Amino acid sequence: MQTQVLKADSRGNVKLAADLIRRGETVAFPTETVYGLGADAANKAAVAKIFAVKERPAFDPLIVHVASVEMLSAVVSTIPSMAWRLIDTFWPGPLTLILPKRDEIPDIVTAGLPTVAVRMPRNEVALSLINEAGVPIAAPSANSFGRPSPTRAEHVMEDLDGKIAMVLDGGPTQVGIESTVLDLACSPPAILRPGGVSRECLEDILGEVLISSGSEGRMLKSPGQTRQHYAPRAKVLLFDGKCRERVVAAIREKIDELKNGNQIGVMVPEEELFHFTDDVVAMSLGSFTKMEAVASRLFETMRALDRRGVGYILTLAPPRKGIGLAVFDRLFKASGSQLIEVD
Ligand code: TXA
Ligand code: MG
């Protein structure tokens, strides 16, 4: 199949994409977090194409995207008062809620679960596409399963060229990291995947919120949170420790150990870039004092290092607060859940 890449700033192109969705095809489109691979959420055969194209296991459920509260009511069977408060504050935006599903949502979307993940994206193109299609759109990130999520149309093409009907190119995404997935069925509510809305912001509205991101290796409530995820082809080594100087020294030592015959990539905060010179491919994540900007370039930097053909990516854990928690989570998953602690 030939994959068309069309600019999203033309209404005609958004209409073409919406037609494809209504006809049961898959289309990649921008959201404020990452690009999604969308299909009509009520059309089983169309949703099956998403799983096939991404090589995504059937046990990993999808997020359904809506453009209005009326559409939300067609997806979920009840909306508790806590959900309303979150919707009022954070929608449209990068917050996904897990709510009881309506029978109209086929099991393939939710991997057989009685609940459905749902969010209203903030991106204008995404909202117009959903409105033009007139149906809720099921969409995971538009990458091959396990790869870093795409934050540009080019990244979607790297993974899915020839496998999907169309990519709507809306330029780079703003947040750069996926939505926060929140489970409201438990008390206190639990974050199943940290993302674009921080724990602190949720706690302002809800009081205590737990983190259940699965780093303990137990059975996961969010089936997509497998141990190895968001990973570049290179092996990621994630360093952490209280003293920044010692962490940097440990990374330098590891470079010397691995250098023999290996091309090494390094992904560090701007402040530490000067420690890494000609012997490695060093890329800045931006300043750790501006964590939103770090989040927005994280996946892109992983892909860029992959294109340079490095065998290893050595990187440094950010502070786990605000959106830094989501950045840490993606790096941790990319490392195969192995943190190298430096004391
Ligand atoms: O920002 C985002 O969330 C992007 C854009 C495209 O919206 N989408 C995205 O989708 O990241 P995906 O499929 O890559 O991640 C969905 C996550 C997975 O970890 C999945 O296991 C979890 O949501 N999930 C979906 N339905 C669930 C459910 N009923 N219960 C628990 N977790 C669920
Ligand atoms: Mg994904």
Side-chain angles (χ1 to χ4, degrees):
M1 162 186 304
Q2 171 123 30
T3 303
Q4 274 186 293
V5 183
L6 298 182
K7 291 278 180 221
D9 56 8
S10 132
R11 186 154 191 99
N13 288 346
V14 175
K15 280 204 159 119
L16 286 175
D19 283 343
L20 285 169
I21 296 275
R22 273 197 304 269
R23 290 209 307 265
E25 286 303 330
T26 59
V27 170
F29 63 99
T31 80
E32 77 281 23
T33 58
V34 301
Y35 275 74
L37 178 62
D40 176 353
N43 181 336
K44 280 185 219 165
V47 174
K49 287 183 190 168
I50 292 179
F51 283 91
V53 158
K54 280 191 57 127
E55 298 172 40
R56 180 178 175 113
F59 61 75
D60 191 1
L62 308 179
I63 296 174
V64 176
H65 297 68
V66 297
S68 64
V69 164
E70 294 71 58
M71 232 184 229
L72 171 67
S73 305
V75 175
V76 305
S77 60
T78 47
I79 306 174
S81 63
M82 208 190 266
W84 279 122
R85 273 187 284 150
L86 295 167
I87 289 168
D88 283 344
T89 314
F90 298 109
W91 281 13
L95 176 67
T96 295
L97 301 175
I98 307 293
L99 293 170
K101 83 173 188 79
R102 287 188 86 99
D103 293 343
E104 289 79 359
I105 299 298
D107 281 341
I108 184 170
V109 172
T110 63
L113 293 172
T115 54
V116 60
V118 60
R119 86 175 185 101
M120 188 188 293
R122 195 164 61 206
N123 181 290
E124 285 305 323
V125 176
L127 290 171
S128 323
L129 177 66
I130 301 165
N131 278 324
E132 283 289 346
V135 293
I137 294 184
S141 48
N143 50 290
S144 300
F145 187 71
R147 296 268 300 143
S149 295
T151 58
R152 292 174 182 269
E154 294 85 333
H155 303 163
V156 178
M157 289 300 275
E158 261 173 32
D159 285 12
L160 304 181
D161 188 11
K163 298 182 178 169
I164 61 178
M166 188 193 286
V167 183
L168 266 182
D169 182 354
T173 62
Q174 299 84 44
V175 179
I177 248 177
E178 300 87 342
S179 61
T180 302
V181 179
L182 185 70
D183 186 0
L184 293 173
C186 47
S187 179
I191 291 175
L192 304 181
R193 178 181 71 183
V197 173
S198 71
R199 177 193 206 173
E200 292 85 343
C201 287
L202 291 172
E203 287 189 328
D204 285 344
I205 307 287
L206 297 177
E208 192 190 4
V209 172
L210 302 180
I211 308 275
S212 160
S213 70
S215 32
E216 301 83 14
R218 59 192 156 67
M219 264 307 284
L220 300 171
K221 244 190 129 175
S222 201
Q225 296 296 293
T226 42
R227 286 169 77 89
Q228 172 90 32
H229 215 127
Y230 311 109
R233 295 191 182 87
K235 183 168 171 49
V236 174
L237 302 180
L238 175 61
F239 291 75
D240 191 23
K242 286 202 184 66
C243 171
R244 177 66 74 80
E245 269 171 29
R246 283 209 286 276
V247 173
V248 167
I251 295 178
R252 284 247 41 114
E253 258 173 53
K254 194 72 182 176
I255 290 171
D256 291 336
E257 183 188 319
L258 295 173
K259 212 161 52 186
N260 218 334
N262 288 309
Q263 171 89 294
I264 313 258
V266 165
M267 202 166 65
V268 289
E270 187 73 42
E271 300 86 276
E272 310 300 344
L273 203 58
F274 73 95
H275 293 289
F276 304 96
T277 46
D278 330 353
D279 55 340
V280 293
V281 183
M283 291 196 181
S284 165
L285 283 171
S287 170
F288 272 10
T289 61
K290 297 205 180 78
M291 203 47 79
E292 269 78 19
V294 172
S296 76
R297 64 205 283 179
L298 177 71
F299 288 137
E300 180 175 20
T301 309
M302 285 184 190
R303 281 181 182 263
L305 283 168
D306 262 350
R307 282 195 300 272
R308 296 287 295 271
V310 302
Y312 291 87
I313 298 175
L314 277 54
T315 186
L316 202 153
R320 281 168 241 183
K321 56 175 201 283
I323 200 169
L325 180 68
V327 174
F328 175 84
D329 174 81
R330 304 308 187 270
L331 288 171
F332 186 66
K333 299 280 161 47
S335 75
S337 303
Q338 282 176 338
L339 195 60
I340 302 174
E341 307 224 39
V342 181
D343 40 41

